[in-house]
Amino acid sequence: METSLSPRSLGQPGFLSDLRAFGAVLLREWRIFMRYPSWMIALFIWPLIFPMMYILTGRALSGPDGSGLEVFTQVTGATDFIGYIVIGTTVWMWQNIVLWDVGFSLRNEQMRGTLESNWLSPTWRFSYLLGHTGPQIISMLMFIGITALEFGLLFGVKLNGSVWMILLVMLAAIPAIYGLGFAFASLVITVKEANAFVFLIRGLVMIFCGITFPISLLPGWMQSFAMWLPPTYLIHGMRAAAFSNAGVTELLPDLIPLALFGVLWLILGYSAFLLMERRARRTGAIGQY
Amino acid sequence: MSDFAIEANQLVKKFPARPGTSNPSPLHPSPGGRGDGGEGDSEGSRKLKRRHWPFGRREPKAMFTAVNGVDLQIQRGEIFGLLGPNGAGKSTTIRMLCTLLEPTSGTARVNGFDIVKQANDVRRSLGTLLAGERSIYWKLSGRENLEYFAALYHIPQPIAKNRVEELIERMELKDRANELVEKYSTGMRQRVAVAKALLARPPILLLDEPTLGLDPQAARRLRELIAELKQEGHTILLTTHYMEEADLLSDRIGIIDSGKVIALDTPEGLKHRIEQKEVIRLEVTGWHDEIADKLKSISGIENLISRQEGEADLWEVNMQAHNSRAAIPRIVEHISGNGTRLVNMNIVKPSLEDVFIHLTGKALRD
Ligand SMILES: Nc1ncnc2c1ncn2[C@@H]1O[C@H](COP(=O)(O)OP(=O)(O)OP(=O)(O)O)[C@@H](O)[C@H]1O
Ligand SMILES: [Mg+2]
């Protein structure tokens, strides 16, 4: 039997070790995600329910013969009003779900008691937050795929553009959307209660970003404000890619702001995380529930 | 570099005061101190204090001192027990040593590393058990939990695999290692949490109330394991509010109360402090404060503590006496009549609990 223990542990620090730890966080999240089957139902129902509200309103307003749709087409340039609405509502749901999922990821762990266990290890702590986005992005892709399928099959929405271009716009929006989620997650650890903030953000997106209408309908000051919200560009770009067959060049006015906002929000998200971490070391916030 | 496994110099931790805290005793140390077991008083003053801020969650500048100048020098290979009542500052001390909290002032070194400036080296040197069964993922299996934490502790894959199996075996989790932790008993979850602390084979272990909530048999098994871990060369700092546990396991004990270490010695040394004293233990019905005052006035009697046993009108009264032979006749004299009856009387050897009472004038557990 050993009588004296080496003062070094079995751990071997290094970049690869940190990378593997990040992989372990992803695997952990994926496993837990697969063990809560309730999301399955949500995955099929929500893509239909939320846009239906607007679609049916649109039907009613367009008149019995649907003649009002021509006006809509004149204003929006979109020949398919259902597809037009579905893109807007999907982006809204994406931002909303990210705020809940990523935003409350650390808070949930804090309440379960596992956050401290993670914090005790020598792993790069941002991995814990970053790791929550992996399964989130995958489930979001499933969500959007199912939306496309349901509306393609049930409502005959047809694309006039390339799926790859749509994906490109979405990819460009990921840093901005998740960066906001990171900042939010750090805020939630600090203030504990942040539902009001979620309601505020998604309310802003709903009114300013044109989820069911072109923002040109908004008064000038609202349009200027909309320019500061990344979902505005995401919605606009996805519609252009889906229904106006826009290529990369046509999409640049949306892609560039998205990328810039992405950099900005990643920096803000990471800074918020570092601030939260520092503050928690003083106040013990990590361990409270 | 210091040769201590853990060395703390005047560690202080202050928190922004929360009037809602469940146990704000260090803010309002029990008044009267020795020999007056004045729990009632301290309750009263707490309520008064709170009444100052009936609204508003937090009083802006007020700070609450949870740990108040703790010094520790723990040798390599030693089991050190930190013993104290609820809210004494045990967990806060552990949280500072494992780098979850930054001290407000003071310094500490763990395995030679500064807990603030070399926090990651400290984390690599430690296995920490905090919050017991809540510290692992209930939606993962025992094995998945251990594999996960092995990666967090940067243990290379092949070594991790062996180490996880070894610990599953050792913790008697083999049969159910692939089941979700939510299906485990408390004892099994605690064993996974302990295994997690041991994964990286860290030289130093911090165990915060390791046997809390375990049934007596599980608690005994865990104590045996802790003794084995010492044999294997681990330095262990454990906190507890069970006297017997500290007595049984520790090479040395620090008694902590209201954020201060008020005594630090071997269990024998601590008991030796009041060896010249005897402890008189009474069981009484119809107890009331007047009698307590009378007994306290007997010369040579101090540190009288009374507590009700269960629901019935039966009280256990402990007091320390310099000369029990002289005191007993007078005790009996005071207790007779007025509806008070002496049911039982013993003269017992001082336990660590009596040392605690001697030092603080209050009982370790209410
Ligand atoms: N993060 C925090 N913010 C404010 N107060 C805190 C915080 N953590 C602990 N405290 C307070 O500090 C005091 C000491 O707490 P601590 O958890 O260290 O006690 P303990 O000795 O571990 O007690 P127990 O036996 O109850 O676990 C308590 O009064 C507690 O309420
Ligand atoms: Mg504690």
Side-chain angles (χ1 to χ4, degrees):
Chain A
M1 182 187 273
E2 290 168 276
T3 48
S4 155
L5 205 71
S6 135
R8 301 224 66 89
S9 79
L10 296 176
Q12 290 178 10
F15 175 71
L16 282 180
S17 295
D18 261 317
L19 202 62
R20 218 165 58 75
F22 175 60
V25 179
L26 283 176
L27 179 64
R28 177 203 82 198
E29 272 314 295
W30 181 248
R31 281 176 165 155
I32 294 175
F33 173 67
M34 296 302 284
R35 282 169 196 169
Y36 283 104
S38 60
W39 57 267
M40 280 283 207
I41 304 158
L43 211 51
F44 285 92
I45 305 274
W46 275 108
L48 279 179
I49 290 183
F50 186 58
M52 279 315 281
M53 189 166 72
Y54 294 102
I55 291 168
L56 293 176
T57 311
R59 280 255 162 90
L61 289 177
S62 66
D65 55 352
S67 55
L69 287 177
E70 271 165 43
V71 183
F72 186 80
T73 307
Q74 276 170 26
V75 178
T76 62
T79 45
D80 189 326
F81 93 100
I82 294 181
Y84 185 90
I85 286 174
V86 167
I87 284 182
T89 54
T90 302
V91 166
W92 182 85
M93 284 191 282
W94 187 10
Q95 181 72 71
N96 184 34
I97 295 174
V98 166
L99 284 180
W100 288 115
D101 278 10
V102 177
F104 283 85
S105 57
L106 295 183
R107 173 71 181 138
N108 288 336
E109 284 214 52
Q110 180 190 39
M111 289 192 291
R112 267 185 266 143
T114 46
L115 193 56
E116 272 193 326
S117 315
N118 289 330
W119 242 240
L120 284 170
S121 84
T123 288
W124 185 51
R125 287 172 173 171
F126 197 60
S127 313
Y128 305 128
L129 188 48
L130 213 51
H132 275 283
T133 58
Q136 216 288 325
I137 289 178
I138 292 173
S139 74
M140 217 49 236
L141 281 176
M142 282 157 72
F143 186 91
I144 289 167
I146 287 170
T147 308
L149 242 128
E150 286 177 343
F151 281 92
L153 294 179
L154 301 179
F155 291 82
V157 170
K158 281 204 187 59
L159 284 186
N160 172 30
S162 140
V163 173
W164 296 111
M165 284 300 121
I166 301 177
L167 285 175
L168 179 68
V169 180
M170 282 166 54
L171 190 71
I174 283 180
I177 288 188
Y178 287 84
L180 174 63
F182 295 155
F184 184 53
S186 312
L187 180 78
V188 176
I189 288 290
T190 310
V191 302
K192 306 274 155 45
E193 253 306 319
N195 295 8
F197 188 81
V198 177
F199 298 142
L200 173 71
I201 296 279
R202 66 186 202 184
L204 289 179
V205 173
M206 186 173 272
I207 293 172
F208 287 88
C209 300
I211 67 170
T212 56
F213 51 85
I215 59 166
S216 57
L217 289 184
L218 294 172
W221 69 270
M222 285 180 84
Q223 287 188 40
S224 322
F225 185 74
M227 293 298 132
W228 290 95
L229 300 172
T232 305
Y233 303 94
L234 175 57
I235 293 173
H236 185 264
M238 278 176 78
R239 281 174 182 156
F243 304 115
S244 311
N245 201 11
V248 176
T249 352
E250 288 95 338
L251 289 175
L252 280 182
D254 293 314
L255 292 176
I256 291 172
L258 281 177
L260 291 178
F261 275 117
V263 172
L264 176 73
W265 275 107
L266 281 184
I267 291 173
L268 285 176
Y270 188 59
S271 314
F273 182 85
L274 292 183
L275 268 172
M276 177 274 288
E277 194 191 2
R278 257 228 314 273
R279 189 178 171 282
R281 234 175 334 189
R282 279 203 325 273
T283 64
I286 287 299
Q288 289 166 16
Y289 36 87
Chain B
M1 190 177 114
S2 82
D3 213 39
F4 293 108
I6 298 174
E7 189 178 14
N9 289 311
Q10 285 298 305
L11 274 187
V12 172
K13 184 67 204 178
K14 293 184 178 166
F15 291 117
R18 296 178 301 184
T21 11
S22 55
N23 190 355
S25 61
L27 248 191
H28 325 292
S30 121
R34 327 210 145 185
D36 116 14
E39 289 301 310
D41 286 357
S42 94
E43 273 307 319
S45 71
R46 262 175 226 174
K47 282 192 192 116
L48 264 183
K49 260 290 207 269
R50 269 185 214 163
R51 225 169 270 146
H52 285 284
W53 306 291
F55 15 68
R57 270 161 34 94
R58 149 183 332 218
E59 147 71 359
K61 286 272 148 49
M63 291 299 259
F64 166 89
T65 308
V67 170
N68 194 1
V70 163
D71 289 310
L72 292 173
Q73 294 188 323
I74 300 175
Q75 309 279 351
R76 289 191 188 274
E78 181 178 32
I79 297 188
F80 189 95
L82 205 51
L83 177 69
N86 289 127
K90 306 182 294 292
S91 301
T92 304
T93 305
I94 297 270
R95 282 197 167 84
M96 283 191 277
L97 292 176
C98 68
T99 75
L100 285 178
L101 285 174
E102 226 165 65
T104 307
S105 65
T107 58
R109 289 182 166 269
V110 171
N111 203 19
F113 300 112
D114 186 282
I115 58 166
V116 176
K117 295 188 197 99
Q118 296 164 296
N120 243 1
D121 291 304
V122 171
R123 288 179 205 134
R124 283 180 218 295
S125 308
L126 284 176
T128 307
L129 180 73
L130 263 183
E133 55 172 351
R134 283 168 37 82
S135 66
I136 53 175
Y137 289 89
W138 289 27
K139 277 282 172 195
L140 297 181
S141 71
R143 179 176 274 113
E144 285 166 348
N145 263 292
L146 293 180
E147 283 167 353
Y148 169 66
F149 284 106
L152 292 197
Y153 280 86
H154 296 162
I155 307 171
Q157 194 118 53
I159 301 177
K161 218 170 152 48
N162 290 335
R163 186 72 184 140
V164 166
E165 291 316 313
E166 192 182 315
L167 285 166
I168 284 175
E169 189 87 39
R170 178 165 192 183
M171 295 293 151
E172 298 162 38
L173 294 164
K174 187 122 191 122
D175 300 337
R176 303 184 52 192
N178 291 330
E179 266 177 56
L180 295 193
V181 165
E182 65 185 359
K183 302 203 176 111
Y184 288 7
S185 67
T186 304
M188 290 179 73
R189 291 188 196 124
Q190 188 76 345
R191 295 211 293 280
V192 178
V194 173
K196 166 176 92 68
L198 297 177
L199 272 170
R201 212 194 294 274
I204 302 167
L205 300 174
L206 306 180
L207 310 178
D208 192 23
E209 311 249 12
T211 60
L212 190 72
L214 296 187
D215 62 61
Q217 197 196 346
R220 201 192 60 227
R221 284 233 300 274
L222 191 51
R223 284 191 208 109
E224 284 165 8
L225 174 72
I226 292 172
E228 274 171 43
L229 291 170
K230 174 192 154 80
Q231 291 305 313
E232 289 164 25
H234 291 279
T235 306
I236 299 168
L237 170 58
L238 70 89
T239 77
T240 178
H241 57 260
Y242 299 121
M243 286 292 169
E244 307 77 18
E245 185 163 290
D247 196 354
L248 208 67
L249 285 173
S250 314
D251 297 306
R252 284 189 306 151
I253 291 174
I255 294 183
I256 183 167
D257 184 38
S258 300
K260 283 200 162 91
V261 175
I262 52 177
L264 198 160
D265 207 336
T266 59
E268 294 68 36
L270 285 173
K271 283 185 254 181
H272 185 75
R273 291 189 184 194
I274 59 166
E275 206 151 63
Q276 60 277 41
K277 289 191 195 146
E278 290 158 314
V279 175
I280 303 176
R281 179 162 300 159
L282 314 176
E283 282 182 316
V284 178
T285 59
W287 178 254
H288 50 89
D289 290 343
E290 238 168 79
I291 304 184
D293 292 336
K294 280 190 197 163
L295 295 185
K296 280 180 210 162
S297 70
I298 301 173
S299 76
I301 293 285
E302 51 187 38
N303 294 325
L304 182 135
I305 296 271
S306 60
R307 68 180 145 215
Q308 194 161 10
E309 297 197 323
E311 301 285 299
D313 177 32
L314 184 65
W315 295 74
E316 183 186 289
V317 183
N318 281 290
M319 62 200 99
Q320 296 169 1
H322 288 292
N323 182 348
S324 58
R325 269 163 219 287
I328 284 173
R330 304 203 51 199
I331 293 174
V332 175
E333 189 181 307
H334 282 305
I335 289 185
S336 53
N338 273 345
T340 311
R341 220 160 57 84
L342 185 60
V343 180
N344 196 356
M345 167 148 65
N346 281 306
I347 297 172
V348 293
K349 251 186 79 177
S351 68
L352 273 181
E353 173 132 31
D354 298 304
V355 177
F356 186 81
I357 293 167
H358 171 71
L359 290 166
T360 66
K362 62 185 186 198
L364 190 55
R365 274 173 287 171
D366 305 318

